[in-house]
Amino acid sequence: MDTIFALASAQGKAGVSVIRISGPLALDAANQICDRPLPEKGRGLRCLLDLDGSHLDEALVLSFTAPASFTGENIVELQVHGSTAVVSAVLDRLTKTPDLRLAEPGEFTRRALENGKLDLAQVEALADLIDAETEAQRKQAQVVLSGGLGELAERWRVDLIRAASLIEVTIDFVDEDVPVDVTPEVTALLNAVAQDLQAETEGVKIAERIRDGFEVAIIGAPNVGKSTLLNMLAGREAAITSEYAGTTRDVIEVRMDLSGLPVTLLDTAGLRETDDHVEGIGIELARKRAEQADLRVFLVEPDEAIDLEMKPGDIRLRPKADRRGEDTTGSISGKTGQGVDHLVIHISETLKDRSTQVGVATRTRHREMMLAALHSLNQAQLVLERGSEFYEIAAEDIRSAVRSLEMLVGRVGVENLLDEIFSSFCLGK
């Protein structure tokens, strides 16, 4: 196994930068660059020296011996002053150290996976945590990173192995009198796991929205103030506004944080009949995005027909409250900000309510593996009902469900996914 190194903190000027070394020769490499030997495990202040003995920097050096480290290997972290010149000089010095090489993207985390320090779901959660922009994203990633999904999968796996074992005992002693009918216990185990899997798969869509962002579309006829409202919510001129109908031709997106939730606001083309070919394309796109959005804000008059079906949770408001005099009930103005605070609260509360349905699983891959396991369990339950002569088929269906759960956490059959997953990591992670 090679010994690797890389800058583990962000590129550019900083107060402190962290350079990580991992592998069997990590401690030896650190001793070569430091002015005096390191403690085998612990921390110390050391001068870092170039090959000619010249002073590179003074650094706090942390050492971790295998397997008690992030990668499960010997690790040394050099906390150096964060100037680009210092970082470049230290990295250049490590490049000249025999048997060391620069790490590939995500290689530290990949070694953690290979050495059993993380499962695949935790690796994915680590990537999500690095990319987290909101509090909800951070919390969701931390649950999986702490092993929440792996613990669930292991509990399900243990129960299914128990169920398969009971069936196989019956098969092994088919010619003898088995004193206990195992079917009730097996059925109970399968039902419990199936119920858990069903609940988790239903929560993945919401979890994906927390990770990728909810979409909220602003819908209405031309020139009712959709773009003005978007600009007010965004706090900047994100969309062009004018008194001419049909100004917005494309869907304009603004990403923001609403009460800790990631939300993408969509300003859509005004819905109307038009002979303008380009505007017609924009209106068709607006309809499509509005139908796919998680929540829609309709700016319409009380008696105005809506050419889109309102869904549960959608919000209907009267536009241009600033022109309505004293009768502003149920209205909003992007120009003056009237009613905007109430709208933000309404959107936040609606999306928070939906977020309570989230489970531990967060990705489409997780959902696919759990659905595969659920399908196998449903097949096993149907076979069990046909009698003991079909128990061998039921046992194989249960084993298939176990394999799907093992793929969920990366124990088997995921080699083709790893390169894609780790390509999103930086060199030092």
Side-chain angles (χ1 to χ4, degrees), residues 309-357:
E309 180 184 356
M310 289 192 69
K311 299 180 181 180
D314 285 350
I315 302 168
R316 180 170 180 156
L317 296 169
R318 295 192 296 168
K320 299 187 177 181
D322 52 288
R323 299 185 183 180
R324 295 184 178 275
E326 295 182 0
D327 183 18
T328 59
T329 304
S331 61
I332 193 169
S333 171
K335 184 176 181 180
T336 65
Q338 183 174 343
V340 171
D341 289 346
H342 178 73
L343 174 62
V344 169
I345 293 171
H346 193 158
I347 293 173
S348 300
E349 290 179 347
T350 300
L351 297 181
K352 278 186 175 179
D353 286 344
R354 295 183 185 181
S355 298
T356 59
Q357 304 167 26

Side-chain angles (χ1 to χ4, degrees), residues 7 12 17 20 149 188 221 246 283 296 309 316 373:
L7 177 65
S17 292
R20 176 181 290 164
L149 184 56
I283 291 172
R296 285 150 289 274
E309 180 184 356
R316 180 170 180 156

Side-chain angles (χ1 to χ4, degrees), residues 238-255:
I240 299 172
T241 61
S242 78
E243 69 274 17
Y244 300 105
T247 300
T248 301
R249 300 295 183 93
D250 200 355
V251 175
I252 298 172
E253 302 183 8
V254 174
R255 191 171 177 88

